[in-house]
Amino acid sequence: KAGVTQTPRYLIKTRGQQVTLSCSPISGHRSVSWYQQTPGQGLQFLFEYFSETQRNKGNFPGRFSGRQFSNSRSEMNVSTLELGDSALYLCASSSPDSGGYNEQFFGPGTRLTVL
Amino acid sequence: EDKVVQSPLSLVVHEGDTVTLNCSYEVTNFRSLLWYKQEKKAPTFLFMLTSSGIEKKSGRLSSILDKKELFSILNITATQTGDSAVYLCAVVNYGGSQGNLIFGKGTKLSVKP
C-alpha cells in the first residue's frame, strides 16, 4: 500500500507570493490533516478535512486555507507569504476504521522557504 | 489553554542504557494519546493509548498512560544508536481551540555508541 505523498518536496518563494501544496492520502483514508513544523514552535495543527469538509481548524490566520477533493486528495494554500511561514508542512491521513482516534500516517512533508 | 509538555527536551545516553521519556497534558476533552518517532523525515507512529494502566509494548519500546495524573511515559530499554530521534507525544482532543491533535515539543534522544 502506497504511503502518503506530498508535492512538491521543496519550494522557495518570496514574501507576498502565494503557494499551493498537495497531499495524496493512503488509499481508503478519508481524513487528511495538515501541520506546520518549525524549530521554535514544533508541530502545530492547521486543519483537518474529512469527506471534502473542513472538520477541524487550528489557530492560524485566514491566509492559510485548504480543501479536499472527492478522491480525498487535499490541497493547502498560503496567501501573502511572510518570512515566518518558512517551515516543514506535513500532511497526515487516517482511516475511518481508526475509531476517530486519529492514528495518523504522515507524508514526507514539503519544505517551504520564504525569502 | 490546552497543552502537552514533554520532558526532558533532550537526552544523551550510551548504547545499552534504558531511558524514560515523559509527557504530561492538560486538555479540554481528552480522547487518546499518541507517541511518534521522528528522524530526519516525517513522524512515524509508535503507540496509541486510550486506557489508564494498560502497557503497550513493541520490542524494546513500551508505553503507559495515567489518566488520573494526566501523563504518559515512553520507555526504551537496551537503547541502540538507531533509537536516536525526536520522540513526539500528541493528545487527541476534540473541540479544543487548537484542533484535534496537540503535539508536545518533543524529546531529542541521542544514543552514543
Side-chain angles (χ1 to χ4, degrees), chain A residues 50-100:
Chain A
F50 181 82
S51 293
E52 302 180 63
T53 301
Q54 188 180 85
R55 188 161 68 172
N56 224 319
K57 190 178 189 305
N59 198 20
F60 276 79
R63 300 185 297 106
F64 292 82
S65 62
R67 58 178 175 168
Q68 186 179 35
F69 302 95
S70 58
N71 61 359
S72 294
R73 189 177 71 85
S74 177
E75 286 183 348
M76 187 195 113
N77 185 275
V78 187
S79 62
T80 319
L81 283 166
E82 300 176 1
L83 294 179
D85 297 333
S86 294
L88 180 67
Y89 289 88
L90 291 164
C91 159
S93 74
S94 62
S95 162
D97 296 331
S98 67

Side-chain angles (χ1 to χ4, degrees), chain A residues 3-6 22-26 29-36 43 45 47-50 68 72 74 89-95 102-109, chain B residues 34 36 42-43 100-101 103:
Chain A
V4 178
T5 58
Q6 291 186 245
S22 180
C23 171
S24 293
I26 291 172
H29 286 192
R30 287 161 57 194
S31 169
V32 174
S33 297
W34 288 90
Y35 300 87
Q36 181 195 67
L43 257 175
F45 171 75
F47 27 66
E48 182 211 1
Y49 286 87
F50 181 82
Q68 186 179 35
S72 294
S74 177
Y89 289 88
L90 291 164
C91 159
S93 74
S94 62
S95 162
N102 294 95
E103 181 180 338
Q104 298 188 326
F105 298 86
F106 284 82
Chain B
L34 309 172
Y36 291 89
N100 62 334
L101 197 61
F103 281 86

Side-chain angles (χ1 to χ4, degrees), chain A residues 3 17 86 95 101 112:
Chain A
Q17 288 186 308
S86 294
S95 162
Y101 290 125
L112 171 65

Side-chain angles (χ1 to χ4, degrees), chain B residues 19 30 42 53 59 85:
Chain B
V19 298
F30 176 89

Side-chain angles (χ1 to χ4, degrees), chain A residues 9-14 19 21 64 76 78 81-83 85-89 109-114:
Chain A
R9 293 292 311 279
Y10 301 91
L11 205 50
I12 299 175
K13 292 284 188 179
T14 56
V19 66
L21 313 180
F64 292 82
M76 187 195 113
V78 187
L81 283 166
E82 300 176 1
L83 294 179
D85 297 333
S86 294
L88 180 67
Y89 289 88
T110 294
R111 172 73 63 185
L112 171 65
T113 301
V114 182

